[in-house]
Amino acid sequence: MSKRIDRKMAKTIAKEHGYLQYMIERYLALWGESETLRFIQACEYPVRTSIRANTLKTSIDEFQERLQKRGVNLESVPWLEEGFFADFSRHTPGSLFEHMMGHYYVQGVPSMTVVRALDPQPGEIVFDLASAPGGKTTHIAQRMENSGLVISIESDRQRINSLESNILRCGVTNSLILRGDVRKLDQLEIIPDKILLDAPCSGEGLIALDPSRKTSKTMADIRYCATRQDEMIEAALNMLPTGGTLVYSTCSIAPEENEFVIDELLRKRDDFKVIPIELDFGIPAYTDPYGVQLHKSLELARRFLPQKHGLEGFFIIRMTKEEVT
Amino acid sequence: MTIKLADTIEWASIVKQIDGDFGEGVTRALLSNRTPVTLQRGERKSFYLIPVDWVKYIEMDVGDFDIRYLGIWLGEIVKERFRLSISVLEQLSQLTSSILTVSHQG
């Protein structure tokens, strides 16, 4: 961090709100005092429940009608026609018959937005990396109208069970699940049109959902995640053909897992560029976090922040592979 | 775990069972333009239906990766008995006049 920070203030805020001091030091360097306090306050409120209508099983009209009859209040997400904030009042979101039948998927708005940023089309070949429990795989299949091929890759044996279960429940028929390490992608002989890498991360954007995150991860954990993310995104870029699209996202607000990861790649490789996301959401990503000047094209990436959007913190960037001359 | 095209004799017995339970030609309608493949997991042999043009993918080398699932899960053979997957029942119900009952007993 090159910006000067007030460690005494960080210590006081951290103690008062139950955070580790290094986190508050970073927030102060990133946002200053008043926005840091707004962030802390926003993380004390639960994130609104949101669901995605699964058009592989039902139409959006029928979905709305059935849930409204069940007493569920729905409010559209402006940039996602299939996304809704949902107030289930007396029900739990997973308890309805319509959920069992796959008519909807309980999913955070940023996670839905990631797939729309990728913009998968019918007939394409799409890789979904680190894919369990399958929210994004099922959404990709939905956008592709169950045509083409979604290759869903996950390394965790246990988590694959939930991935399979969600694929079955949502009526997905165009997926192929592979278990294995994303960093070995070059062993596959299938060339994708698009790749989604929602990378495993420190989860620093999920404090409102999991308050234990205030103290559960150290700076070393963030650095470990960033190293893995760097390896995974390199593997993904190596698999991508010229003209192919890669969307990288994390549920972390840490620039170390987002802007810095991409900036390092942009310095290292000249075969890809950041491209705009054609959806109106969030705010631009940072180009000078902590006062460190990063690649200007990072402003085309987007962020969700709890204190600005009332949602989980998220980072989403869209890139394309270019021919090297 | 390896993916193989379904064995002809084994597939014929599954067709006989499904058509016997749900009506002549139902398996062909369920299959449509897909082909059956199998995935062996221990004692269980799962049957999946995949588009014909996916056959090239299952013939490709996947290195250290394991194929865990693909296309539509039709069902599985456990101890020489074929059991339909719950995931095809919705499609099956549109192809038969038989009544489908789902129970814990199977």
Side-chain angles (χ1 to χ4, degrees), chain A residues 35-84:
Chain A
E35 191 169 347
T36 296
L37 293 173
R38 280 202 298 276
F39 170 79
I40 290 169
Q41 194 182 13
C43 290
E44 295 304 312
Y45 292 99
V47 175
R48 292 174 76 187
T49 301
S50 52
I51 57 178
R52 168 172 52 83
N54 176 19
T55 50
L56 294 177
K57 284 289 190 98
T58 184
S59 68
I60 290 180
D61 287 345
E62 188 192 344
F63 153 82
Q64 284 180 288
E65 197 181 317
R66 288 185 73 142
L67 261 66
Q68 276 158 1
K69 274 186 190 159
R70 298 268 189 188
V72 180
N73 286 318
L74 297 172
E75 182 191 325
S76 297
V77 178
W79 60 92
L80 300 167
E81 70 257 29
E82 66 273 53
F84 295 85

Side-chain angles (χ1 to χ4, degrees), chain A residues 57 125 148-149 167-168 173-181 184 187 189-190, chain B residues 41 54 57 60-73 87 90:
Chain A
K57 284 289 190 98
I125 297 178
L149 174 64
I167 279 173
L168 286 171
T173 61
N174 66 339
S175 73
L176 189 161
I177 299 179
L178 295 176
R179 190 179 75 80
D181 187 340
K184 295 181 179 175
Q187 295 182 351
E189 294 175 359
I190 306 171
Chain B
R41 292 181 204 182
W54 283 22
Y57 301 129
M60 281 181 182
D61 181 15
V62 291
D64 292 342
F65 290 88
D66 272 339
I67 295 179
R68 292 291 305 252
Y69 184 101
L70 68 170
I72 299 170
W73 182 32
S87 64
E90 206 171 322

Side-chain angles (χ1 to χ4, degrees), chain A residues 43-228:
Chain A
C43 290
E44 295 304 312
Y45 292 99
V47 175
R48 292 174 76 187
T49 301
S50 52
I51 57 178
R52 168 172 52 83
N54 176 19
T55 50
L56 294 177
K57 284 289 190 98
T58 184
S59 68
I60 290 180
D61 287 345
E62 188 192 344
F63 153 82
Q64 284 180 288
E65 197 181 317
R66 288 185 73 142
L67 261 66
Q68 276 158 1
K69 274 186 190 159
R70 298 268 189 188
V72 180
N73 286 318
L74 297 172
E75 182 191 325
S76 297
V77 178
W79 60 92
L80 300 167
E81 70 257 29
E82 66 273 53
F84 295 85
F85 293 107
D87 176 3
F88 280 82
S89 52
R90 63 185 188 281
H91 303 290
T92 55
S95 66
L96 297 183
F97 177 73
E98 285 77 7
H99 180 263
M100 190 186 82
M101 292 299 289
H103 290 193
Y104 66 91
Y105 196 103
V106 182
Q107 189 172 32
V109 167
S111 295
M112 300 178 206
T113 306
V114 167
V115 170
R116 293 300 302 276
L118 184 72
D119 193 24
Q121 297 294 316
E124 289 182 334
I125 297 178
V126 178
F127 283 7
D128 180 12
L129 311 181
S131 58
K136 295 179 190 72
T137 290
T138 54
H139 195 185
I140 291 168
Q142 173 179 342
R143 298 299 301 178
M144 292 167 69
E145 298 165 8
N146 254 342
S147 67
L149 174 64
V150 186
I151 299 192
S152 190
I153 302 176
E154 173 58 49
S155 61
D156 188 311
R157 203 180 290 269
Q158 297 301 320
R159 284 167 60 83
I160 279 186
N161 294 333
S162 59
L163 172 62
E164 282 184 28
S165 159
N166 280 318
I167 279 173
L168 286 171
R169 184 175 65 83
C170 293
V172 172
T173 61
N174 66 339
S175 73
L176 189 161
I177 299 179
L178 295 176
R179 190 179 75 80
D181 187 340
V182 163
R183 292 169 295 186
K184 295 181 179 175
L185 266 188
D186 60 353
Q187 295 182 351
L188 297 178
E189 294 175 359
I190 306 171
I191 306 298
D193 298 295
K194 288 173 181 164
I195 299 179
L196 175 58
L197 172 57
D198 183 38
C201 69
S202 71
E204 202 171 1
L206 306 181
I207 294 170
L209 298 173
D210 176 17
S212 72
R213 178 61 185 79
K214 291 176 186 175
T215 54
S216 64
K217 296 277 197 299
T218 65
M219 196 59 217
D221 292 320
I222 291 177
R223 287 199 190 99
Y224 172 75
C225 287
T227 304
R228 279 190 65 200

Side-chain angles (χ1 to χ4, degrees), chain B residues 20-74:
Chain B
D21 288 344
F22 302 105
E24 194 64 32
V26 164
T27 316
R28 183 187 291 262
L30 201 57
L31 204 56
S32 184
N33 60 348
R34 301 183 192 94
T35 192
V37 295
T38 59
L39 183 56
Q40 187 86 41
R41 292 181 204 182
E43 284 189 4
R44 289 166 185 248
K45 183 185 270 188
S46 283
F47 284 74
Y48 295 89
L49 308 181
I50 62 167
V52 176
D53 64 354
W54 283 22
V55 172
K56 61 178 181 282
Y57 301 129
I58 66 166
E59 287 171 347
M60 281 181 182
D61 181 15
V62 291
D64 292 342
F65 290 88
D66 272 339
I67 295 179
R68 292 291 305 252
Y69 184 101
L70 68 170
I72 299 170
W73 182 32
L74 179 70

Side-chain angles (χ1 to χ4, degrees), chain A residues 13-26:
Chain A
I13 295 173
K15 196 172 174 189
E16 189 179 336
H17 298 281
Y19 283 72
L20 294 180
Q21 186 178 332
Y22 87 92
M23 295 169 77
I24 304 297
E25 286 178 5
R26 286 162 56 247

